[in-house]
Amino acid sequence: MSNYYIIRNVFIKQNIIPQLPYNPNLKERAKALRQAKNLPKVLFWKQLTKGGFHNIDFDRQRIIGHYIVDFYAKKLGLVIEIDGSSHNNKEVYDKEREEYLVALGLKVYRIMVVDILQHIHLA
């Protein structure tokens, strides 16, 4: 089953989207976001990279179309968004953004900042 990953006894099928839209005008913004030391995103990134999360490669602050997503796993076609106070009062924007990403064939998974801060394993 080379087209699947097993994570916590769940089979997850690969979902590679070969061509995603890219806006080069966002390159500097994405770089700045990667360099910003946002604690929940840094903690989450360390968890993804410290043991090689199931041999799945993730990108940080990936440009997809006119958006920058927090984390992206190409092999799974998966976007992970860390939602904190910056998402307050942006429900319409977030919904439009998520609909756009889903229309590209991507899956979007949201994690609340409080969940990262309360449940992250700092080893």
Side-chain angles (χ1 to χ4, degrees), residues 41-83:
K41 291 178 185 178
V42 169
L43 292 173
F44 188 78
W45 179 245
K46 286 184 182 283
Q47 288 295 301
L48 288 177
T49 59
K50 79 175 182 184
F53 184 78
H54 300 278
N55 293 320
I56 299 170
D57 185 38
F58 283 83
D59 295 334
R60 284 187 307 151
Q61 304 302 326
R62 169 74 183 262
I63 299 168
I64 300 176
H66 297 294
Y67 300 103
I68 300 172
V69 301
D70 290 335
F71 300 95
Y72 175 65
K74 182 177 182 175
K75 288 185 178 182
L76 301 178
L78 174 66
V79 169
I80 298 178
E81 285 294 304
I82 309 299
D83 286 354

Side-chain angles (χ1 to χ4, degrees), residues 1-16 53-57 74-76:
M1 284 196 172
S2 62
N3 291 337
Y4 288 85
Y5 291 89
I6 302 172
I7 301 173
R8 294 188 179 177
N9 296 319
V10 174
F11 285 90
I12 300 175
K13 187 177 185 216
Q14 282 189 358
N15 180 37
I16 298 172
F53 184 78
H54 300 278
N55 293 320
I56 299 170
D57 185 38
K74 182 177 182 175
K75 288 185 178 182
L76 301 178

Side-chain angles (χ1 to χ4, degrees), residues 96-113:
E96 289 172 357
R97 182 176 190 262
E98 187 164 334
E99 287 172 353
Y100 173 79
L101 296 169
V102 169
L104 294 173
L106 301 171
K107 298 177 209 109
V108 178
Y109 184 74
R110 297 185 170 284
I111 302 173
M112 298 301 296
V113 165

Side-chain angles (χ1 to χ4, degrees), residues 40 43 82-85 111-120:
L43 292 173
I82 309 299
D83 286 354
S85 60
I111 302 173
M112 298 301 296
V113 165
V114 67
D115 289 331
I116 291 172
L117 296 176
Q118 290 179 354
H119 302 291
I120 202 84

